[in-house]
């Protein structure tokens, strides 16, 4: 049996089509993985857009005046905000401070300012627990902050 140039061309074409089929399957697998990652990312961004993220710290507002600022850093609305002082209760014993809670809602980048009483015998650090509801599942955060 004699091998002709057309036989060589046919085998080369068959090999090239097999290689092309293999590359196509690899490309399809990569496309499926990338699509799954994109869907996961979009889902995460959708959840993050509905989630509130509360934080708090002491802010000096005058020569010896301080406030405790609770603010929403998230992209979603935080609702039914509950505030519990775990340590440093003497700082928050100012008329009406605890009557504000549960606070109805905080929009993104909105804040609540609470008056605090700082004097020589007051604690220098406070630990508070913030709990809230949002469109996803709510949240809870324990924050410890120094007055100065």
């Amino acid at each position: 049996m004699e091998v002709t140039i057309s036989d060589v061309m046919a085998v080369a074409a068959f090999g090239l089509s097999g290689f092309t089929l293999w590359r196509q399957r690899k490309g399809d697998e990569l496309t499926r993985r990338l699509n799954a990652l994109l869907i996961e990312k979009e889902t995460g961004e959708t959840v993050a857009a509905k989630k509130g993220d509360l934080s708090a710290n002491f802010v000096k507002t005058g020569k010896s005046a301080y406030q405790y600022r609770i603010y929403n850093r998230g992209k979603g609305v935080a609702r039914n905000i509950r505030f519990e002082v775990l340590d440093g209760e003497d700082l928050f014993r100012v008329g009406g401070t605890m009557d504000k809670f549960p606070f109805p809602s905080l929009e993104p980048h909105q804040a609540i300012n609470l008056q605090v009483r700082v004097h020589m015998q007051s604690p220098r650090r406070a630990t508070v627990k913030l709990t809230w509801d949002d469109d996803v599942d709510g949240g809870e955060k324990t924050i410890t902050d120094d007055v100065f």
Side-chain angles (χ1 to χ4, degrees), residues 59-140:
V59 177
K60 187 172 185 174
T61 58
K63 186 174 181 181
S64 62
Y66 290 88
Q67 291 181 341
Y68 195 68
R69 181 170 292 157
I70 301 170
Y71 50 94
N72 184 1
R73 298 186 311 179
K75 295 181 180 178
V77 178
R79 293 182 190 82
N80 191 22
I81 300 160
R82 280 116 29 226
F83 176 80
E84 180 183 349
V85 180
L86 303 176
D87 188 27
E89 292 177 17
D90 291 342
L91 291 168
F92 298 98
R93 288 192 182 157
V94 179
T97 298
M98 299 310 285
D99 296 338
K100 290 184 178 183
F101 294 95
F103 198 79
S105 68
L106 274 179
E107 297 289 330
H109 309 294
Q110 193 177 24
I112 308 169
N113 293 321
L114 303 176
Q115 296 298 321
V116 294
R117 183 176 54 181
V118 178
H119 51 84
M120 293 300 287
Q121 287 80 29
S122 66
R124 300 291 180 237
R125 177 176 290 168
T127 302
V128 299
K129 179 179 175 184
L130 296 172
T131 311
W132 67 93
D133 300 326
D134 54 29
D135 292 338
V136 179
D137 59 356
E140 181 178 303

Side-chain angles (χ1 to χ4, degrees), residues 11-24:
V11 169
F14 181 73
L16 184 62
S17 69
F19 175 74
T20 304
L21 181 64
W22 175 76
R23 291 284 292 168
Q24 181 66 35

